[in-house]
Amino acid sequence: NAGVTQTPKFQVLKTGQSMTLQCAQDMNHEYMSWYRQDPGMGLRLIHYSVGAGITDQGEVPNGYNVSRSTTEDFPLRLLSAAPSQTSVYFCASSYSHTTSYEQYFGPGTRLTVT
Amino acid sequence: AQRVTQPEKLLSVFKGAPVELKCNYSYSGSPELFWYVQYSRQRLQLLLRHISRESIKGFTADLNKGETSFHLKKPFAQEEDSAMYYCALSPISGGYNKLIFGAGTRLAVHP
C-alpha cells in the first residue's frame, strides 16, 4: 500500500492563481481531511469528509473548496491564492470518522504564494 | 474554546535522561487525546492515544482531568527519540475525528 499520497510536493503560485492539491489513499478509508501548518502553530483543520459525496468545513475553510467523488480521492482547491495561504498542507485519512481511530498523514505539500 | 498548549518549543536532553513533554488542553468535556510524532524526513504518525493506555517505544502518557494535562514521559531518552512531538485533542461531541493540535515540541536527544 502506498498509504496517503499528495501531489505536488512543492508549489509556487502568484496571487490570484488557482490550483488543486491532490490527495489519494489506497486503504479504503472512510474519513479524509485536510490540514494546514503554519510556523509556530499546530496543524489546523481546513475541510473534512466522512465518505464519498459528504464534506464539511473545519476550523479554517475560507478560500478553499473540496469535493469527494470517490472514496480514494480528496482534492483541495484554492480558488484565488493569497499570500496568507502560504503554508504546508497535509492530507490525512482514517478508517472511521469516530474519534479514537488513528489518522494516517500524507507527506505534505509546501505551497508558497507570492 | 478548545485549545491544546505545548509550552516548550524545544526540549534538549542527554541520552539516558528522563523526558517529559508537556501538554495542557482546554475542553469542556471528556476529549480523546493523542500524541503524534514526526521523525526527520518521515510523515506525521500516531505515537499513542490515551484511550489505549499503552506504552509505545518506552513512552507513556497519563490523562489528568483535574489539571487538564496529558504529558508524555519516557524514563531514559534515546537518540532515536529526537523528533517533533504534537499533542492533539479530538472532541467527542459531534462524533468526528477532528483533531486540534498543539504547536509541537522539538525533542533533541544528545549523545
Side-chain angles (χ1 to χ4, degrees):
Chain A
N1 286 351
V4 180
T5 58
Q6 291 183 238
T7 56
K9 290 186 178 179
F10 302 94
Q11 183 69 50
V12 179
L13 290 178
K14 293 186 177 179
T15 297
Q17 288 184 317
S18 63
M19 80 158 295
T20 299
L21 307 184
Q22 301 291 345
C23 174
Q25 53 89 11
D26 61 0
M27 297 174 282
N28 201 30
H29 281 175
E30 169 188 89
Y31 182 83
M32 296 185 75
S33 53
W34 276 100
Y35 293 86
R36 60 176 287 174
Q37 184 179 34
D38 301 303
M41 301 181 71
L43 284 72
R44 291 182 294 168
L45 182 64
I46 304 171
H47 285 285
Y48 64 96
S49 169
V50 299
I54 307 170
T55 64
D56 205 347
Q57 297 180 350
E59 179 187 355
V60 287
N62 291 343
Y64 308 96
N65 271 359
V66 293
S67 60
R68 183 102 178 266
S69 56
T70 67
T71 300
E72 295 78 19
D73 300 299
F74 191 43
L76 178 72
R77 280 182 288 277
L78 280 70
L79 307 174
S80 177
S84 60
Q85 293 179 304
T86 294
S87 189
V88 181
Y89 291 85
F90 291 97
C91 180
S93 74
S94 176
Y95 175 74
S96 169
H97 66 270
T98 54
T99 55
S100 61
Y101 279 87
E102 175 178 0
Q103 293 203 27
Y104 293 83
F105 285 82
T109 294
R110 186 173 295 274
L111 175 68
T112 301
V113 183
T114 61
Chain B
Q2 301 161 359
R3 185 183 298 119
V4 176
T5 303
Q6 294 180 251
E8 302 140 329
K9 288 187 178 181
L10 171 66
L11 184 62
S12 186
V13 301
F14 287 103
K15 177 183 173 181
V19 169
E20 183 179 50
L21 298 162
K22 291 184 167 52
C23 172
N24 291 93
Y25 67 90
S26 172
Y27 180 68
S28 57
S30 295
E32 299 266 6
L33 285 155
F34 307 83
W35 278 97
Y36 278 80
V37 61
Q38 188 169 27
Y39 300 102
S40 179
R41 300 189 190 87
Q42 294 188 28
R43 302 178 184 204
L44 193 62
Q45 58 187 283
L46 179 67
L47 179 63
L48 57 78
R49 71 198 92 182
H50 94 272
I51 196 171
S52 302
R53 304 185 70 81
E54 57 203 344
S55 174
I56 304 293
K57 299 184 179 182
F59 284 97
T60 59
D62 290 321
L63 176 60
N64 186 324
K65 292 185 179 180
E67 296 182 357
T68 59
S69 68
F70 188 56
H71 303 328
L72 184 67
K73 300 177 183 179
K74 185 170 183 177
F76 307 104
Q78 303 299 313
E79 290 181 68
E80 55 265 30
D81 296 328
S82 295
M84 196 74 184
Y85 291 80
Y86 294 94
C87 182
L89 172 159
S90 184
I92 291 181
S93 64
Y96 294 142
N97 197 353
K98 296 186 283 186
L99 292 173
I100 299 168
F101 284 86
T105 298
R106 180 168 299 282
L107 174 64
V109 182
H110 303 286

